[in-house]
Amino acid sequence: MVPLSQSYEYLLVFHNENFHVIFLQSAPNLEFDANLVEEIRQTIARKQIIIPQKEGQIGHAQISNKYLIMRAGKYSLEVLVIGVSPTRPVMDALKNFGVRFEARWGHELETLYSDFKGDISIFLHDSDTRPNVQVLFQDIFQ
């Protein structure tokens, strides 16, 4: 089995309202591929692949020889891009991330485009009650 920290390439979090990327983390030794990320975003936004619709549902797809594992949240769609066939621990990690992400930032996700005017930097700052999303990511995926 490939360790989880070595199997992911990108974690993308899209807002359900417009499928804009609100969080993106790439593997540390990976050369960032903006074209691949945009291809994934457009494919999802145009509904060219079947994305999970029910909150908590997991779906799979392939784009450009990459596997996409997708989890539907109430306000977000979390997409883990991996280069190897998905395993149960990888899917469980994505589920864990999605549940914890929406539990910690549910209000911000719900009002991102009204109260916060689309400012996604709110996920990157520590608050008195929670660390930022990158800490959550590291706790789960590394």
Side-chain angles (χ1 to χ4, degrees):
M1 182 173 94
V2 177
L4 185 57
S5 63
Q6 294 176 3
S7 64
Y8 83 94
E9 294 185 16
Y10 299 96
L11 173 68
L12 306 165
V13 180
F14 298 94
H15 198 278
N16 283 345
E17 188 174 314
N18 55 19
F19 293 109
H20 287 170
V21 176
I22 58 174
F23 178 71
L24 181 149
Q25 183 68 46
S26 60
N29 297 325
L30 182 71
E31 185 175 329
F32 182 72
D33 185 348
N35 292 330
L36 175 63
V37 171
E38 182 59 16
E39 178 184 4
I40 292 168
R41 188 195 70 74
Q42 286 184 14
T43 300
I44 289 170
R46 293 178 183 155
K47 301 184 190 303
Q48 294 173 325
I49 58 173
I50 298 172
I51 60 173
Q53 298 297 310
K54 185 177 175 186
E55 185 177 346
Q57 184 180 19
I58 302 283
H60 306 94
Q62 269 190 282
I63 293 178
S64 298
N65 298 321
K66 304 294 181 190
Y67 295 93
L68 307 182
I69 306 169
M70 302 169 285
R71 180 199 170 271
K74 184 173 183 178
Y75 304 108
S76 64
L77 176 70
E78 300 88 29
V79 178
L80 192 63
V81 181
I82 57 178
V84 297
S85 186
T87 62
R88 175 55 61 191
V90 172
M91 290 185 278
D92 289 345
L94 180 63
K95 178 182 176 183
N96 186 9
F97 176 86
V99 168
R100 291 172 63 187
F101 178 72
E102 288 216 339
R104 290 182 187 185
W105 288 280
H107 170 72
E108 290 86 344
L109 289 165
E110 182 177 17
T111 60
L112 181 62
Y113 294 103
S114 56
D115 295 352
F116 294 99
K117 311 237 184 305
D119 181 9
I120 60 173
S121 71
I122 59 173
F123 304 113
L124 300 176
H125 301 291
D126 293 334
S127 74
D128 294 339
T129 59
R130 64 180 180 238
N132 66 65
V133 70
Q134 291 171 321
V135 172
L136 173 63
F137 172 83
Q138 291 173 359
D139 286 349
I140 294 172
F141 291 100
Q142 298 186 349

